[in-house]
């Protein structure tokens, strides 16, 4: 009795199948990259539609940063980084624009880290959490974002942003007003 691996080996090593299989295999990395890019672009469109009347803007720097913010929040927003692997979602604040100690006081008073299961990270990211359910290194995640299946993942990811904004939008405004470094002083 042949195993599945033996049958695949026999099939793929036939001259008429081998070349096609190699060509397909060589394209899979590029396909995965495009799936991820298309996912973030579709999320951007979804959030722009959902937030169109709220004054929020959505920015995507492909492969680097996804951010939802108010235009007045220069240097701050709710975002994701590590877009091609396991994204982190959290509040990002430019350390040249915001006093991290004041940001921490406001976050601690609202208990954001505890309520949202977020950790401290670095000066630019005063709180974040891993989005393990969107680890783009995992086959199951890539399968969930195939074009015919991605809608549910887009809606779920968009809800992470809109729910956070609903809960903490006022706090983000306070951080922008109270923790911004006065560069004129």
């Amino acid at each position: 009795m042949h195993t599945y691996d033996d049958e695949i080996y026999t099939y793929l090593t036939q001259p008429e199948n081998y070349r096609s299989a190699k060509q397909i295999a060589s394209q899979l990395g590029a396909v995965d990259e495009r799936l991820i890019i298309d996912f973030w672009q579709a999320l951007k469109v979804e959030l722009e539609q959902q937030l169109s009347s709220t004054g929020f803007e959505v920015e995507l720097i492909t492969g680097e940063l996804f951010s939802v913010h108010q235009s007045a929040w220069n240097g701050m927003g709710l975002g994701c980084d590590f877009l091609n692997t396991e994204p982190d979602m959290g509040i990002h604040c430019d350390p040249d624009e915001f006093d991290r100690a004041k940001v921490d006081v406001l976050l601690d008073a609202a208990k954001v880290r505890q309520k949202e299961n977020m950790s401290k990270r670095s000066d630019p990211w005063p709180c974040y959490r891993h989005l393990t359910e969107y680890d783009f290194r995992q086959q199951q995640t890539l399968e969930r974002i195939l074009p015919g299946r991605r809608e549910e993942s887009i809606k779920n990811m968009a809800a992470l942003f809109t729910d956070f904004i609903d809960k903490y939008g006022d706090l983000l405004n306070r951080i922008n007003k109270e923790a911004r470094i006065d560069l004129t002083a």
Side-chain angles (χ1 to χ4, degrees), residues 7-21:
E7 290 176 21
I8 291 294
Y9 176 81
T10 300
Y11 177 79
L12 291 177
T13 56
Q14 295 173 11
E16 63 272 15
N17 299 332
Y18 184 76
R19 179 175 288 173
S20 296

Side-chain angles (χ1 to χ4, degrees), residues 8-60:
I8 291 294
Y9 176 81
T10 300
Y11 177 79
L12 291 177
T13 56
Q14 295 173 11
E16 63 272 15
N17 299 332
Y18 184 76
R19 179 175 288 173
S20 296
K22 289 289 274 189
Q23 289 172 340
I24 290 170
S26 72
Q27 295 299 312
L28 287 178
V31 169
D32 289 350
E33 282 181 38
R34 183 163 173 195
L35 280 172
I36 295 166
I37 290 168
D38 288 354
F39 171 81
W40 289 106
Q41 289 173 339
L43 177 62
K44 181 180 188 287
V45 169
E46 176 70 23
L47 280 169
E48 285 173 337
Q49 291 172 353
Q50 287 187 26
L51 299 171
S52 64
S53 64
T54 65
F56 279 90
E57 299 173 354
V58 183
E59 179 181 11
L60 171 62

